[in-house]
Amino acid sequence: MALLFAAILACHASGAEKPAKVDAEKAEELPTMVITASRTAQEQKKVPQSTNVVEQKRIERFQASTPSEMLQEQPGVWVNQVAAQGSPVIRGQMGNKLVYLWDGIRINNGGIFSGPNPFFNQFPIDAVGRMEVVRGAGSVQYGSDAIGGVINVFSKRGEFSESLNVGGDIYSRYGSNNSEFTNAANMHASNSQWAFAAGWSAQDAGNYHSSTGPLQPTSFNTSGGYANLAFQPAKGHVFRLSWVGNERTAVSSYVQSQLNANGVPRIYSPLERRGIVKMDYTASDLGLLSDELKVYGYYQYYDQLRERRVQTATLFNNTITNSDQDVWGVGIQNAATFGTKNTRLVYGMDYRHENLSSSQLLNSRVLATGVTTTTQPAGITPDGTYSVFDTFVTLDFKPADKLLMNMGARYERTHLRSNPEPLDVIPGAGYTLSDLMADKYWNAVTWNVGAVYQATNTFDLVANVATGYRTPTFSDLLSAGTPVFSSLTASLPSTNINPEKSITYELAARVHTEKFKGSITGYLTKLSDLITSTTQGTVVIGGVTYNATRNANSAKGYITGVELALSYELDRHFTLFNNTTWTYGQNQSQNVPLRFIPPLYGNFGVRFETDEKKAWVELSELWAGPLIRHNTSDEIDAGFSMDPAFGSPNTTNNPAINPNFQISGFFITNIRTGVKVWERGTQSFSLTLNLNNLFDTKYRQAYSQQQRQAVGFNVVVGGRLTF
């Protein structure tokens, strides 16, 4: 460590002898823009919502193995490193209480379920050009599920140029911890009328290692890419056709992997495939009533194969589930500016239709003879459709010179219709075919009011009030059988449930000087009509007795927290940074903590860059306090057991990680550094070296069902050739 700081100081000393270019660089800096918060480009400091922007440079330096990991160390975002899985937690919400977007198109659909899910990590790893996070309710902008926040992943794209511009890059990296190899290639070509960009990446990740040895199975393979073609027949009119897609194969799961006597892991995904094809037209400066008009349509596909292997005394059963989801949607959005550009109106409507289906096959092998039979087993979520229509409007205006107001509203109508068949029912499991029949309509209206007051040129006071909601999905109403997270419970259909609702009150102070940027945000989210599971006796499935649970809108609660983010430039080379997040949540109906409330956490560190930004070093300390409070449902969650490979905590062979279900805190040291080895014009070659978990610390992250321990020491070396 001493040698590292000596090297930094030496570079600093040599850099100090060169003429400074600070003034020129500052003059060229543009304000950070954010699209997700208002559905149109706006200066980040002028939106009342709390937002994070992760630029491409940051993404490339981080060398994350999954999109979820790219958000680690971001203020207000709790992230688990769990191989191919992992769901970010924002303000105590995860899974189906966050909205995930790919290039503005929602990934959430009528099949999404609660708790950790892999949806976010199915974006091709090197296609990510930028990420934006809205912390807090975003239902006015994006509808159902946006109670905790919105994450928008933007793929790389081609931009128009005055003259012919052709280029690209090749990237390759290796991670020592899980022998990860990632390779990618990108290219772009453009002129004043045409712009094209495309890329492909492939990733081969083995089992990861903790400080005490390998954790297997945690391996996966993935490949995917993007392509977009834009045509500008006249200035201000752009047609764009784009595609982004990814395929993950051989996705292993550590949870419940040791429950079978023969050692075959219980859960395995041979295939996960997702993609979006989108066409859009954007017209700018159309006159008084429109300065930006967007019309778009898209088709989204998702296919998954999942195997669930269960060994009994006489049989080895492998149930293969094939899920197929097809979504098409259209939308229109218009933005108009009035007066002296102090009033901006954005309005539009969307419609999407989802076809959701799944099927099962059971391969059953007799252990004594080896004879295998294939049947179609009973018990699966029925097929059906999920349709959503919405219309929205937002208004930005300045009632006073230093006061910017924002308000908006949204109406959304959702229709869920199931088409159950007799084989969808598990015999003797406590429900019948009629319990799986649903033809439900839900209507929801949401609103928000926010304000940014410019107290001085460098200090703003911010307030925001926003409502949110989450419309029930097939998973909420019609799931039956045993979930992945627990080996002790079984779900029953629950067709008489309604949307969950929220209202969030938020106050913030923001400082933005030339050297110092900081914000502190406090919020309170009140939750009502929460969908919770209640135990209703027991059921016997496949000869095994489970506690039967059924969903109902049976609870209310609240989440409150404080988010702090600071960045200070000591001089033109050194920058100090820090963020800290505190979250507290309570189920008021049951007088217990809410689930998925992270412990106190954050990170701090120092970053060094040379004058020409050809070399940089970053020392970062990632930390979390102990998870002290837990929900009673956590006591059957494999993530709170001594070893999730053996399923839920029990008194026989897999006790709780601690007698009181607490999870210890940790401090993790990460060092990242990079250098531009060679540069000539637009051509260059850069090397990046990451030393993650430098001291090979033993720890577990809260709400990670895939960890006995988290990832140990990892050396990641990457090189990018740009041409």
Side-chain angles (χ1 to χ4, degrees), residues 527-651:
L527 305 165
S528 59
D529 294 329
L530 290 176
I531 298 173
T532 58
S533 297
T534 57
T535 301
Q536 298 188 352
T538 61
V539 295
V540 178
I541 301 176
V544 180
T545 300
Y546 297 91
N547 292 320
T549 63
R550 195 183 296 274
N551 290 334
N553 297 99
S554 58
K556 66 177 182 178
Y558 68 89
I559 300 174
T560 187
V562 178
E563 300 159 342
L564 173 69
L566 304 172
S567 174
Y568 178 65
E569 295 181 15
L570 291 173
D571 57 23
R572 66 179 185 271
H573 299 296
F574 284 97
T575 301
L576 301 177
F577 56 86
N578 168 70
N579 72 71
T580 302
T581 301
W582 171 77
T583 316
Y584 184 94
Q586 184 76 2
N587 182 321
Q588 294 170 288
S589 300
Q590 301 173 5
N591 196 29
V592 296
L594 288 170
R595 296 197 73 195
F596 307 122
I597 303 298
L600 181 71
Y601 68 94
N603 83 296
F604 58 89
V606 59
R607 184 183 306 112
F608 169 83
E609 289 185 300
T610 61
D611 276 327
E612 303 295 333
K613 300 190 183 299
K614 291 186 176 181
W616 59 275
V617 180
E618 181 176 288
L619 171 64
S620 175
E621 194 75 15
L622 180 69
W623 63 272
L627 182 71
I628 299 173
R629 307 173 74 242
H630 73 279
N631 184 276
T632 50
S633 295
D634 295 329
E635 297 179 11
I636 58 171
D637 189 323
F640 284 78
S641 68
M642 185 65 71
D643 191 345
F646 292 95
S648 299
N650 61 69
T651 57

Side-chain angles (χ1 to χ4, degrees), residues 45-111:
K45 66 181 182 180
K46 292 183 178 180
V47 299
Q49 298 94 332
S50 298
T51 60
N52 303 34
V53 177
V54 188
E55 301 285 5
Q56 185 173 340
K57 181 175 78 171
R58 173 67 177 172
I59 292 169
E60 292 179 353
R61 289 182 174 186
F62 213 78
Q63 295 198 121
S65 59
T66 63
S68 179
E69 195 180 324
M70 294 175 186
L71 293 176
Q72 200 167 56
E73 301 185 8
Q74 287 295 308
V77 184
W78 173 260
V79 175
N80 293 315
Q81 291 178 274
V82 285
Q85 310 302 321
S87 293
V89 178
I90 302 176
R91 295 189 172 178
Q93 307 286 3
M94 72 183 313
N96 60 5
K97 292 186 176 66
L98 302 176
V99 165
Y100 308 100
L101 305 172
W102 285 12
D103 290 326
I105 303 300
R106 61 184 290 137
I107 300 301
N108 302 53
N109 58 34

Side-chain angles (χ1 to χ4, degrees), residues 340-597:
T340 57
K341 296 188 177 182
N342 286 334
T343 303
R344 183 173 175 82
L345 180 69
V346 180
Y347 57 94
M349 61 181 65
D350 299 285
Y351 177 78
R352 72 178 189 276
H353 181 82
E354 306 171 3
N355 293 307
L356 310 174
S357 63
S358 55
S359 61
Q360 289 186 142
L361 286 177
L362 172 61
N363 295 322
S364 185
R365 176 166 53 88
V366 179
L367 296 178
T369 64
V371 176
T372 300
T373 58
T374 300
T375 58
Q376 188 173 357
I380 196 170
T381 301
D383 297 347
T385 59
Y386 198 81
S387 302
V388 180
F389 168 79
D390 66 71
T391 182
F392 59 89
V393 59
T394 64
L395 177 67
D396 293 300
F397 63 99
K398 295 186 71 174
D401 183 54
K402 294 187 176 183
L403 179 63
L404 175 65
M405 296 290 297
N406 168 270
M407 57 180 59
R410 183 187 192 93
Y411 166 75
E412 186 162 293
R413 181 174 175 84
T414 303
H415 180 206
L416 181 153
R417 183 182 180 88
S418 66
N419 301 305
E421 299 178 355
L423 268 176
D424 296 337
V425 181
I426 302 175
Y431 66 99
T432 65
L433 182 65
S434 62
D435 293 320
L436 295 177
M437 294 180 179
D439 189 8
K440 306 282 290 186
Y441 287 89
W442 295 283
N443 296 290
V445 175
T446 52
W447 55 268
N448 75 277
V449 177
V452 179
Y453 176 69
Q454 187 182 6
T456 70
N457 289 335
T458 59
F459 179 67
D460 300 328
L461 294 173
V462 183
N464 193 51
V465 182
T467 60
Y469 68 99
R470 187 184 74 82
T471 304
T473 65
F474 276 77
S475 176
D476 296 304
L477 270 69
L478 303 172
S479 286
T482 55
V484 171
F485 79 91
S486 170
S487 55
L488 300 177
T489 65
S491 303
L492 298 177
S494 314
T495 54
N496 294 317
I497 55 177
N498 292 303
E500 299 177 305
K501 301 172 185 176
S502 73
I503 182 168
T504 297
Y505 306 90
E506 186 173 337
L507 292 172
R510 302 173 184 169
V511 179
H512 41 85
T513 69
E514 183 177 318
K515 290 182 174 292
F516 179 76
K517 292 179 176 60
S519 66
I520 183 167
T521 305
Y523 67 89
L524 170 65
T525 298
K526 293 185 176 181
L527 305 165
S528 59
D529 294 329
L530 290 176
I531 298 173
T532 58
S533 297
T534 57
T535 301
Q536 298 188 352
T538 61
V539 295
V540 178
I541 301 176
V544 180
T545 300
Y546 297 91
N547 292 320
T549 63
R550 195 183 296 274
N551 290 334
N553 297 99
S554 58
K556 66 177 182 178
Y558 68 89
I559 300 174
T560 187
V562 178
E563 300 159 342
L564 173 69
L566 304 172
S567 174
Y568 178 65
E569 295 181 15
L570 291 173
D571 57 23
R572 66 179 185 271
H573 299 296
F574 284 97
T575 301
L576 301 177
F577 56 86
N578 168 70
N579 72 71
T580 302
T581 301
W582 171 77
T583 316
Y584 184 94
Q586 184 76 2
N587 182 321
Q588 294 170 288
S589 300
Q590 301 173 5
N591 196 29
V592 296
L594 288 170
R595 296 197 73 195
F596 307 122
I597 303 298

Side-chain angles (χ1 to χ4, degrees), residues 82-408:
V82 285
Q85 310 302 321
S87 293
V89 178
I90 302 176
R91 295 189 172 178
Q93 307 286 3
M94 72 183 313
N96 60 5
K97 292 186 176 66
L98 302 176
V99 165
Y100 308 100
L101 305 172
W102 285 12
D103 290 326
I105 303 300
R106 61 184 290 137
I107 300 301
N108 302 53
N109 58 34
I112 193 171
F113 49 86
S114 62
N117 63 64
F119 287 7
F120 183 55
N121 282 336
Q122 291 163 348
F123 197 94
I125 190 68
D126 198 59
V128 181
R130 174 187 173 95
M131 281 192 188
E132 294 181 0
V133 179
V134 176
R135 308 192 308 275
S139 288
V140 168
Q141 293 79 13
Y142 299 102
S144 177
D145 304 346
I147 290 177
V150 180
I151 303 175
N152 199 353
V153 186
F154 295 91
S155 61
K156 298 173 181 177
R157 55 186 281 173
E159 302 293 346
F160 296 105
S161 56
E162 292 298 324
S163 58
L164 180 63
N165 179 20
V166 179
D169 63 78
I170 298 172
Y171 173 68
S172 184
R173 77 158 181 251
Y174 171 75
S176 65
N177 183 280
N178 59 349
S179 300
E180 177 219 349
F181 284 97
T182 296
N183 297 288
N186 302 278
M187 67 86 60
H188 61 84
S190 63
N191 59 21
S192 59
Q193 281 194 308
W194 296 89
F196 176 74
W200 188 262
S201 59
Q203 187 178 20
D204 181 3
N207 297 314
Y208 79 79
H209 290 64
S210 70
S211 61
T212 58
L215 272 78
Q216 59 185 44
T218 51
S219 60
F220 66 96
N221 299 309
T222 181
S223 61
Y226 67 97
N228 61 78
L229 174 66
F231 172 55
Q232 183 174 235
K235 186 176 181 180
H237 296 266
V238 178
F239 296 87
R240 189 179 296 270
L241 173 64
S242 60
W243 166 82
V244 58
N246 196 49
E247 182 177 293
R248 304 201 303 179
T249 58
V251 180
S252 302
S253 179
Y254 183 75
V255 66
Q256 300 187 21
S257 60
Q258 295 297 318
L259 286 179
N260 292 323
N262 61 4
V264 175
R266 180 161 287 189
I267 302 163
Y268 176 72
S269 294
L271 174 68
E272 298 172 358
R273 181 190 296 119
R274 184 183 296 277
I276 295 176
V277 178
K278 179 183 178 184
M279 294 183 64
D280 61 78
Y281 163 69
T282 302
S284 304
D285 301 323
L286 295 180
L288 176 65
L289 298 180
S290 179
D291 49 41
E292 186 182 67
L293 173 68
K294 294 182 179 180
V295 182
Y296 50 90
Y298 63 90
Y299 167 69
Q300 180 184 164
Y301 57 90
Y302 175 66
D303 305 292
Q304 182 192 45
L305 290 174
R306 168 166 282 191
E307 297 182 6
R308 188 175 181 87
R309 302 120 157 206
V310 179
Q311 182 180 358
T312 68
T314 59
L315 298 172
F316 182 75
N317 296 319
N318 184 11
T319 303
I320 304 171
T321 303
N322 184 0
S323 301
D324 185 19
Q325 301 172 358
D326 294 286
V327 182
W328 64 266
V330 294
I332 184 170
Q333 174 180 306
N334 186 53
T337 302
F338 303 100
T340 57
K341 296 188 177 182
N342 286 334
T343 303
R344 183 173 175 82
L345 180 69
V346 180
Y347 57 94
M349 61 181 65
D350 299 285
Y351 177 78
R352 72 178 189 276
H353 181 82
E354 306 171 3
N355 293 307
L356 310 174
S357 63
S358 55
S359 61
Q360 289 186 142
L361 286 177
L362 172 61
N363 295 322
S364 185
R365 176 166 53 88
V366 179
L367 296 178
T369 64
V371 176
T372 300
T373 58
T374 300
T375 58
Q376 188 173 357
I380 196 170
T381 301
D383 297 347
T385 59
Y386 198 81
S387 302
V388 180
F389 168 79
D390 66 71
T391 182
F392 59 89
V393 59
T394 64
L395 177 67
D396 293 300
F397 63 99
K398 295 186 71 174
D401 183 54
K402 294 187 176 183
L403 179 63
L404 175 65
M405 296 290 297
N406 168 270
M407 57 180 59

